[in-house]
Amino acid sequence: MTVQLDLFPIDLHLRCIDRSSNKHRFYALSVQRTLFGEWALVREWGRIGVSCRLRRDLYPSAGSAIDALIELSRQKTTRGYRAASD
């Protein structure tokens, strides 16, 4: 199963739930503009319902940040994550 992304996705919420192994994880990706004109790919991940980890990676353009978002979404879907709306 592949995730259908919008033409220019800027937000993506993924979940990986496996009740047999008590795995309830999420991964959220968001492209945001910074105050200094750069673009950031903001990643949040962790167990559903618990405080999460946060990471911001800076990119010179929105296109490169969106490319990174798409690549990370491909990696996560191969590891069992699915779109939160599924």
Side-chain angles (χ1 to χ4, degrees), residues 32-38:
Q32 302 173 2
R33 191 170 185 109
T34 68
L35 292 174
F36 303 107
E38 299 171 311

Side-chain angles (χ1 to χ4, degrees), residues 13-76:
H13 301 280
L14 303 170
R15 290 187 301 192
C16 184
I17 297 174
D18 182 6
R19 289 178 175 85
S20 64
S21 63
N22 196 26
K23 184 197 283 188
H24 302 277
R25 297 182 183 159
F26 76 94
Y27 205 91
L29 299 162
S30 176
V31 174
Q32 302 173 2
R33 191 170 185 109
T34 68
L35 292 174
F36 303 107
E38 299 171 311
W39 290 89
L41 175 60
V42 179
R43 301 190 244 175
E44 297 178 72
W45 69 94
R47 186 171 172 87
I48 295 173
V50 180
S51 64
C52 63
R53 302 210 39 187
L54 180 74
R55 176 176 172 171
R56 288 183 182 89
D57 297 317
L58 298 177
Y59 293 90
S61 69
S64 58
I66 290 170
D67 290 342
L69 180 145
I70 292 169
E71 180 58 31
L72 279 168
S73 71
R74 285 188 189 131
Q75 292 173 8
K76 293 300 175 185

